[in-house]
């Protein structure tokens, strides 16, 4: 249902040029045709890159200063749990009051939390201060969700453009989570242990400021936004979030098991590069998927994507049985190609189920489910490799993908 637009602050999206007589523009050219699209995308990518930097930066910083990976892991887990609790409320405020009005102060508070953590580590403050400081970063807004909401506003009524936008956003996520850890590890090792956290905080604040400054592309706030109920109560949303939870377990378990496998083969330093291949495969697949026609039956497409992911996740298991890290790397590259289409389709279903005035909250709920799944998958993968073997640890992502497929089938996603 369309919402009233304040023409002074939120002018209607400009018409997209057709690329000239006899020539139709490509999907990505059409996507970025509206004025301001490139600007807000640049700011959003700048703000999103630190999402792949913070966790590894905090682990390196705390473990190096306190000599305890257990403490570092507990601090990052606390931050993850706090984010899962706070992020949906932050997204709800964004929907009710606007992206710029909420995202900037929320980001400022999160950056202060990162700087406080840095100072606590540097000044050898008590351990409890690390938990308190990092918990404050939970107010970080879901920049990916805000970007997707802008695309939905700019290309409303154009399913093909929205499909391309979701594909691009998923590829951007993979790119940031591929480059972020590499950049963080480089900064922390070459400069000083706190360099990763400091750089991430600066990039986050700068990116959000650039993003929020693009007011012409900001979705308008609906007059009734404050009176709407949570998207969680929308029919079909809870089963879909369960699918996201299981899908997150695929990612979390694959990361832990791969690190353990590489370390067990005496190549611990190669784990990041091996995992980067999975992200690279997903990034390429996401951009290619954006050129396909959008699915008429999203639920059916989601089932197909989940089935493909389940099959491809068996490739690393077979490669691990061969005890070859090179084979595992190639298998992860192939397995990653099923990730982006699955996530793009799932996010599109979320957008279809969520009222336009609550898109940020709806997509943040999906991200929160993913984070919960990542945490559970990490724990399950770690337990499996510790009590069985690293090769058998690859059974966990296969089982998680199969669970996601079964949950999607049981939730009757073909209705979407």
């Amino acid at each position: 249902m369309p919402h009233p637009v304040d023409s002074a602050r939120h002018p209607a999206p400009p018409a997209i040029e057709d690329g000239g007589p006899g020539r139709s523009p490509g999907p990505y050219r059409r996507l970025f045709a509206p004025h301001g699209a490139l600007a807000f995308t640049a700011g959003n990518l700048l703000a999103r890159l630190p999402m792949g930097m913070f966790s590894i930066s905090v682990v390196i910083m705390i473990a190096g200063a306190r000599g305890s990976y257990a403490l570092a892991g507990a601090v990052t887990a606390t931050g993850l749990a706090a984010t899962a609790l706070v992020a949906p409320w932050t997204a709800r405020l964004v929907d009710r009051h606007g992206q710029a009005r909420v995202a900037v102060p929320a980001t400022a508070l999160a950056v202060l939390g990162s700087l406080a953590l840095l100072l606590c580590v540097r000044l050898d403050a008590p351990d409890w201060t690390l938990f308190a400081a990092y918990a404050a970063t939970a107010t970080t807004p879901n920049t990916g969700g805000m970007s997707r909401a802008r695309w939905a506003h700019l290309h409303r009524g154009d399913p093909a453009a929205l499909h391309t936008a979701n594909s691009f956003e998923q590829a951007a996520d993979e790119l940031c989570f591929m480059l972020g850890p590499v950049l963080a590890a480089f900064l922390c090792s070459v400069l000083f242990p706190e360099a990763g956290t400091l750089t991430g905080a600066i990039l986050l604040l700068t990116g959000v400021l650039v993003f929020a400054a693009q007011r012409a592309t900001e979705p308008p706030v609906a007059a009734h936004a404050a009176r709407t109920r949570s998207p969680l109560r929308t029919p079909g949303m809870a089963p879909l979030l369960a699918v996201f939870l299981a899908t997150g377990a695929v990612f979390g378990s694959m990361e832990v098991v791969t690190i353990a496998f590489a370390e067990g083969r005496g190549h611990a330093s190669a784990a990041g590069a091996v995992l980067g291949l999975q992200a690279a495969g997903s990034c390429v697949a996401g951009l290619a998927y954006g050129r396909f026609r959008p699915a008429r039956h999203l639920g059916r497409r989601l089932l197909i994507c989940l089935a493909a992911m389940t099959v491809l996740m068996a490739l690393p298991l077979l490669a691990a049985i061969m005890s070859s890290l090179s084979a595992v790397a190639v298998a992860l590259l192939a397995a990653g190609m099923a990730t982006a289409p699955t996530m793009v389709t799932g996010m599109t279903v979320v957008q279809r189920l969520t009222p336009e005035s609550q898109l940020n909250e709806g997509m943040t709920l999906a991200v929160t489910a993913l984070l919960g799944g990542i945490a559970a998958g990490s724990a399950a993968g770690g337990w499996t490799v510790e009590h069985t073997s690293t090769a058998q640890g690859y059974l966990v992502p296969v089982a998680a993908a199969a669970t996601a497929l079964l949950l999607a089938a049981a939730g009757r996603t073909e209705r979407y």
Side-chain angles (χ1 to χ4, degrees):
M1 178 178 179
H3 302 292
V5 178
D6 180 349
S7 59
R9 288 184 52 201
H10 303 285
I16 299 174
E17 298 180 357
D18 62 5
R23 183 179 64 177
S24 59
Y28 288 101
R29 182 178 176 184
R30 290 181 63 246
L31 180 66
F32 290 101
H35 177 71
L38 283 174
F40 87 71
T41 299
N44 191 271
L45 289 177
L46 196 63
R48 209 183 307 187
L49 181 60
M51 298 301 102
M53 297 176 60
F54 282 130
S55 292
I56 190 170
S57 296
V58 169
V59 169
I60 293 174
M61 179 174 65
I62 295 177
R66 303 295 172 93
S68 173
Y69 279 99
L71 175 62
V75 171
T76 54
T78 299
L80 182 64
T83 299
L85 292 173
V86 175
W89 294 99
T90 303
R92 179 174 294 186
L93 290 174
V94 169
D95 285 327
R96 290 182 177 180
H97 304 289
Q99 293 184 354
R101 291 184 62 186
V102 175
V104 173
T107 301
L109 180 57
V111 167
L112 288 176
S114 294
L115 296 179
L117 175 65
L118 187 154
L119 290 175
C120 288
V121 173
R122 191 76 173 180
L123 299 176
D124 199 25
D127 289 350
W128 68 264
T129 62
L130 307 184
F131 292 91
Y134 203 49
T137 64
T139 61
T140 303
N142 179 11
T143 51
M146 291 193 298
S147 183
R148 288 177 172 91
R150 291 202 180 206
W151 291 126
H153 169 59
L154 291 175
H155 296 286
R156 57 188 181 273
D158 187 347
L162 291 179
H163 170 72
T164 302
N166 284 332
S167 299
F168 171 79
E169 290 297 324
Q170 185 60 38
D173 281 339
E174 299 294 349
L175 181 64
C176 291
F177 278 99
M178 180 173 59
L179 297 179
V182 176
L183 177 59
F186 174 80
L187 292 172
C188 293
S189 59
V190 174
L191 299 179
F192 49 91
E194 299 87 359
T197 301
L198 179 61
T199 302
I202 294 173
L203 289 175
L204 175 61
L205 183 59
T206 302
V208 169
L209 288 174
V210 172
F211 177 82
Q214 313 309 313
R215 302 301 293 272
T217 57
E218 181 179 351
V221 177
H224 62 279
R227 301 190 299 272
T228 53
R229 63 182 185 177
S230 171
L232 186 60
R233 300 174 63 182
T234 302
M237 181 64 80
L240 182 61
L241 293 181
V243 174
F244 273 93
L245 185 71
T247 304
V250 175
F251 306 148
S253 59
M254 186 67 78
E255 180 176 348
V256 171
V257 174
T258 300
I259 292 173
F261 184 84
E263 184 175 351
R265 299 305 180 276
H267 299 286
S269 60
V274 173
L275 287 169
L277 286 175
Q278 182 184 4
S282 183
C283 180
V284 172
L287 292 175
Y289 189 62
R291 292 185 169 274
F292 292 177
R293 289 184 178 182
R296 289 186 178 181
H297 304 288
L298 286 173
R300 191 178 305 167
R301 176 73 66 86
L302 180 60
L303 288 174
I304 294 173
C305 290
L306 288 169
M309 185 170 69
T310 302
V311 172
L312 290 178
M313 285 299 161
L315 296 180
L317 172 62
L318 298 176
I321 293 174
M322 298 167 52
S323 297
S324 170
L325 183 60
S326 299
V328 168
V330 175
L332 285 175
L333 177 64
M337 292 183 179
T339 301
T342 301
M343 292 301 302
V344 170
T345 307
M347 280 296 185
T348 305
V349 176
V350 171
Q351 290 177 339
R352 179 168 294 185
L353 291 177
T354 306
E356 185 179 349
S357 62
Q358 296 175 285
L359 274 181
N360 288 291
E361 185 177 357
M363 287 183 287
T364 300
L365 287 172
V367 172
T368 300
L370 276 174
L371 292 176
I374 290 173
S378 298
W383 186 93
T384 303
V385 298
E386 187 172 327
H387 290 83
T388 57
S389 68
T390 53
Q392 292 183 29
Y394 282 105
L395 283 169
V396 179
V398 176
T403 300
L405 175 60
L406 292 174
L407 288 170
R412 296 180 58 80
T413 57
E414 69 272 11
R415 297 174 302 175
Y416 307 137

